[in-house]
């Protein structure tokens, strides 16, 4: 299709049009023979639009990033392409760009975080933003200030982007309604964690070359996991076959509504998987007893070498972190050559750079 459009353009450029403006097909045939490579010769590389130009022309319409459910497949691929470029740039000596020069980003984390907060800070600084990390434990929140009052207070400081993590599902969306800047959800309760799902997708795509058609098995505490929900949204949008594996006590009600195959037997669920993604037990979100013991959980649902052998020989091993070694994953597997857990951390910075760059396009320019 692109080749025909190129030939039509060349006809128009060279004046090979009839009086009615139609393409002279006899001339088109001659031109095709002249322009297209002969068999056995190297193909002519005709770039109609570079990847960078395509990225610049793509219209990312979102002001905020609150949930993966609101992202279409083209939007996800656009963010992954941006992140792919950022990942390559981050391996160079000069990592800085001026995309967010003059902009201010606030990290507002109501829950403990190492990877997410650090990578957002690093991503923003590599894009030349001014970054403020707000320590909630020493803020007025401890004196009884409400989430809305905190939002109004921060909004008065005229930030451009606020990154929020909160223990309550829906809290980040509520805050986004009270401020004038862009808001990024860095995890809200057991609801969503968009940038984690995007970095997982990027890690898979860079390792496997594709996502469509792959079988991804997500195993562990599905009930309390925002990572599982976000990954199911993104992976389904990109054409993967998603499985969730957990004991019945760690599955949500009617789990099939999420669009994934459901297994309560890890041996069956992991069979022939291309990717095995383990989840941390969310002990802090559990009310009551969901498992008899962590030792028994590991016996039936922890990833060890024996269970991993059921997956494909080149299956990737993933974990969003922090890992509980000996609970959901064995050290021998976490440190195995098939593990891409460290790559996930690296891709986290790249994905957050991509999200910040995409949202920056919709920020006021004056």
């Amino acid at each position: 299709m692109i080749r025909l459009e190129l030939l039509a353009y060349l006809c128009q450029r060279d004046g090979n049009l009839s009086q009615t403006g139609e393409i002279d097909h006899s001339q088109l045939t001659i031109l095709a023979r002249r322009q297209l490579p002969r068999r056995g010769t190297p193909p002519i590389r005709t770039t109609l639009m570079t990847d960078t130009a395509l990225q610049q022309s793509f219209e990312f319409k979102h002001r905020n990033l609150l949930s993966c459910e609101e992202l279409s497949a083209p939007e996800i691929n656009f963010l992954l392409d941006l992140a792919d470029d950022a990942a390559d740039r981050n391996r160079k000596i000069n990592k800085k760009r001026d995309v967010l020069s003059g902009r201010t980003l606030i990290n507002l984390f109501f829950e403990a975080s190492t990877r997410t907060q650090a990578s957002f800070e690093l991503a923003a600084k590599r894009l030349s933003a001014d970054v403020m990390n707000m320590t909630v434990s020493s803020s007025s929140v401890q004196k009884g200030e409400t989430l809305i009052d905190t939002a109004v207070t921060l909004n008065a400081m005229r930030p451009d982007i606020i990154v929020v993590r909160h223990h309550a599902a829906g809290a980040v969306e509520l805050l986004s309604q009270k401020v004038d800047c862009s808001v990024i959800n860095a995890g809200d309760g057991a609801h969503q964690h968009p940038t984690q799902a995007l970095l997982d997708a990027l890690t898979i795509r860079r390792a496997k070359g594709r996502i469509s058609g792959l079988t991804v098995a997500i195993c562990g505490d599905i009930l309390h996991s925002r990572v599982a929900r976000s990954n199911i949204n993104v992976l389904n949008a990109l054409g993967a076959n998603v499985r969730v594996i957990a004991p019945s006590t760690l599955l949500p009600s009617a789990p099939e509504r999420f669009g994934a195959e459901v297994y309560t037997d890890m041996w069956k669920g992991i069979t022939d998987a291309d990717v095995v993604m383990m989840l941390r037990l969310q002990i802090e979100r559990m009310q009551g007893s969901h498992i008899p013991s962590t030792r028994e959980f590991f016996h039936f649902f922890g990833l060890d070498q024996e269970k991993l052998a059921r997956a494909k020989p080149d299956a990737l091993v993933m974990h969003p972190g922090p890992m509980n070694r000996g609970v959901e994953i064995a050290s021998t597997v976490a440190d195995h050559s098939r593990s891409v857990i460290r790559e996930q951390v690296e891709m986290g910075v790249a994905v957050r750079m991509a999200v910040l760059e995409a949202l920056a396009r919709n920020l006021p320019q004056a």
Side-chain angles (χ1 to χ4, degrees), residues 49-61 78 82 361:
M49 186 175 286
T50 65
D51 291 343
T52 302
L54 284 169
Q55 291 169 7
Q56 292 296 329
S57 64
F58 187 89
E59 188 176 0
F60 189 77
K61 299 180 180 179
F78 163 70
L82 277 182
R361 298 182 182 185

Side-chain angles (χ1 to χ4, degrees), residues 96-352:
K96 273 221 167 188
R97 297 176 63 208
D98 61 357
V99 173
L100 293 179
S101 180
R103 303 290 190 180
T104 301
L105 178 142
I106 297 178
N107 275 327
L108 179 60
F109 280 61
F110 291 85
E111 284 187 326
S113 171
T114 300
R115 295 155 193 77
T116 306
Q117 182 171 342
S119 62
F120 264 115
E121 179 179 1
L122 196 55
K125 287 181 176 178
R126 285 183 180 173
L127 295 177
S128 302
D130 298 318
V131 181
M132 185 190 90
N133 292 316
M134 181 173 169
T135 307
V136 174
S137 60
S138 59
S139 72
S140 294
V141 172
Q142 301 302 314
K143 300 176 183 178
E145 185 175 70
T146 66
L147 176 65
I148 292 177
D149 286 336
T150 300
V152 171
T153 299
L154 293 177
N155 191 55
M157 298 178 187
R158 304 291 181 184
D160 298 287
I161 301 172
I162 301 179
V163 181
V164 187
R165 170 171 287 186
H166 200 278
H167 54 81
V172 181
E173 183 175 4
L174 175 63
L175 186 144
S176 72
Q177 298 168 4
K178 307 298 179 182
V179 298
D180 301 319
C181 62
S182 293
V183 175
I184 299 174
N185 184 359
D188 61 331
H191 179 224
Q192 282 280 327
H193 193 350
T195 56
Q196 180 67 48
L198 291 170
L199 75 87
D200 289 340
L202 180 63
T203 304
I204 295 170
R205 195 176 78 167
R206 285 173 69 96
K208 292 289 189 181
R210 63 187 174 95
I211 293 177
S212 179
L214 296 180
T215 297
V216 181
I218 305 175
C219 180
D221 187 359
I222 307 296
L223 177 62
H224 303 99
S225 178
R226 56 194 173 210
V227 173
R229 286 168 174 77
S230 300
N231 264 295
I232 291 170
N233 293 148
V234 168
L235 294 171
N236 276 336
L238 298 180
N241 304 311
V242 185
R243 302 173 183 174
V244 293
I245 309 167
S248 57
T249 54
L250 290 177
L251 285 171
S253 59
E256 62 279 355
R257 74 183 189 277
F258 291 112
E261 297 178 60
V262 181
Y263 291 84
T264 54
D265 184 332
M266 187 169 181
W267 295 92
K268 293 180 180 178
I270 205 175
T271 299
D272 293 329
D274 297 287
V275 180
V276 181
M277 186 183 299
M278 302 305 298
L279 301 174
R280 181 177 67 87
L281 280 177
Q282 307 276 313
I283 302 294
E284 69 277 12
R285 303 190 201 284
M286 295 184 184
Q287 297 179 353
S289 179
H290 291 266
I291 57 172
S293 68
T294 54
R295 182 177 180 179
E296 186 167 340
F297 177 83
F298 180 75
H299 177 73
F300 288 102
F301 292 94
L303 186 62
D304 53 24
Q305 294 279 18
E306 191 177 4
K307 296 189 189 75
L308 182 59
R310 290 291 189 96
K312 288 184 178 178
D314 61 345
L316 303 179
V317 175
M318 305 180 73
H319 195 300
M323 289 184 291
N324 291 315
R325 294 173 182 259
V327 177
E328 64 258 4
I329 189 168
S331 289
T332 53
V333 175
D335 301 328
H336 196 274
S337 59
R338 289 156 66 178
S339 169
V340 290
I341 296 172
R342 292 183 181 86
E343 285 79 357
Q344 287 176 268
V345 177
E346 180 185 0
M347 293 306 111
V349 179
V351 158
R352 281 146 191 154

Side-chain angles (χ1 to χ4, degrees), residues 355-366:
V355 169
L356 292 173
E357 181 177 347
L359 294 180
R361 298 182 182 185
N362 297 324
L363 292 174
Q365 300 300 315

